[in-house]
Amino acid sequence: MNGFLFTNSSNGLGATGPAGPAGATGPMGATGPSGSIGGLTGPTLQLFTSVGATNGALFAIAASGASAALGSVYLNNGATYLVKAAYNGTTYLFTSSLGLGIAITGGTLQLLSGSGSSGIGFASFQSLSTFSVNSSALYLEVELVGGGAGGGGSGNTSSTLGGNGQVSVFGTNAMIAGGGFGGYGAAQNGNGGFGGTASVGSLIGYVQTGQAGFPTSTGGAGTNLFGGNGGTSPFGGNGSGGLGSLNAATSGVLGTGSGGGGGGTASSEGCAGGGGAGGYAKAIISSPGATYFYTIGNGGIAGSSGQSGFIGGTGGIGCLVIKTYFQ
């Protein structure tokens, strides 16, 4: 008798057994390189409303005709100042401080070494600081606004104009944004102050004269009358004119370079005009240098009140905005 082997498969193979357990997870692969958007690093934005460490002085020259050679050294009150840009009868003399630093008195710089006028008279000065450019910078986009002016004081007798705003500067031969001019007090006719002018030198850029302050309103005796509003810079924030005894004139906002409002009145005395805004400049600086001098213009003081009047608002401090672009 023949023997037979019976199977459960027609192909002679046994049934497939159950699946085995999953193997252990392998080690993590190496991290890939960081990505970038279009090969560019995002820009940085910096806002300045005051100077940093003081290392120089910007002199506003009182009269034309003076000159000073680059590298000459001048003396004032025992402190020495190195000329950082050749000067020849223009408005501003750039210097870095040596020795004792800023110790300015009087109104004359005396030549100590180098060539130039033996004595240079100045009307005022502002402290300078230095902006250091990132070594990887491709170009800079710079915005600059001068200080806003103060609004005038109301009251027809002995009221005064608002103070002028100061100039803002970036670079020794580059960008200048002049301060606004003070609003007229009631005793001076109550008109608004003019806006500051601006320049970008040889740079590619745009300038805008600051908006003038607004003149006073008119009205009958015994009513609450508005002073003029301050001029507005591209950053907004102008001061409002006062409304007699109900509301005081307000100041231009810090860092806008806008003008302060003029004082209002609650009587037959006259109102005052608003202060002008600082000039505005915007420029592109390609292949920037390592450092740039800068200063930020303060706002002008408020005009004082006269008889039955009210003070104006102070001007807003100017600003410097620097956007740095990288490759």
Side-chain angles (χ1 to χ4, degrees), residues 9-321:
S9 174
S10 60
N11 59 10
L13 298 176
T16 302
T25 301
M28 182 178 293
T31 302
S34 299
S36 60
I37 302 176
L40 297 176
T41 300
T44 61
L45 182 67
Q46 295 168 276
L47 169 66
F48 300 87
T49 57
S50 63
V51 297
T54 299
N55 54 19
L58 177 72
F59 294 94
I61 304 305
S64 61
S67 64
L70 178 67
S72 295
V73 177
Y74 280 81
L75 177 70
N76 179 274
N77 194 34
T80 51
Y81 301 92
L82 176 70
V83 176
K84 296 296 291 183
Y87 172 80
N88 187 20
T90 54
T91 307
Y92 302 107
L93 173 63
F94 290 83
T95 66
S96 60
S97 55
L98 305 171
L100 297 178
I102 302 296
I104 299 171
T105 62
T108 304
L109 293 166
Q110 299 294 336
L111 181 64
L112 189 63
S113 65
S115 60
S117 300
S118 59
I120 299 179
F122 59 91
S124 62
F125 74 94
Q126 292 172 236
S127 296
L128 287 174
S129 190
T130 300
F131 174 76
S132 296
V133 179
N134 188 299
S135 60
S136 299
L138 180 64
Y139 67 93
L140 306 179
E141 179 183 290
V142 181
E143 294 181 273
L144 191 68
V145 179
S154 64
N156 289 329
T157 304
S158 70
S159 58
T160 65
L161 288 76
N164 296 337
Q166 291 182 319
V167 67
S168 295
V169 172
F170 185 77
T172 54
N173 291 301
M175 302 175 67
I176 297 176
F181 293 86
Y184 288 81
Q188 293 84 36
N189 72 25
N191 285 329
F194 294 108
T197 58
S199 170
V200 294
S202 60
L203 298 174
I204 298 172
Y206 165 80
V207 298
Q208 177 178 308
T209 298
Q211 184 182 43
F214 290 83
T216 66
S217 64
T218 58
T223 60
N224 285 298
L225 305 179
F226 282 102
N229 292 337
T232 306
S233 81
F235 293 97
N238 63 319
S240 299
L243 177 57
S245 59
L246 300 179
N247 294 300
T250 61
S251 299
V253 174
L254 170 72
T256 65
S258 293
T265 185
S267 68
S268 59
E269 300 290 330
C271 299
Y280 170 81
K282 181 176 182 178
I284 299 295
I285 302 177
S286 58
S287 302
T291 60
Y292 290 88
F293 270 129
Y294 74 92
T295 188
I296 308 297
N298 286 322
I301 62 174
S304 60
S305 61
Q307 179 178 330
S308 302
F310 300 88
I311 65 172
T314 59
I317 294 172
C319 71
L320 167 65
V321 180

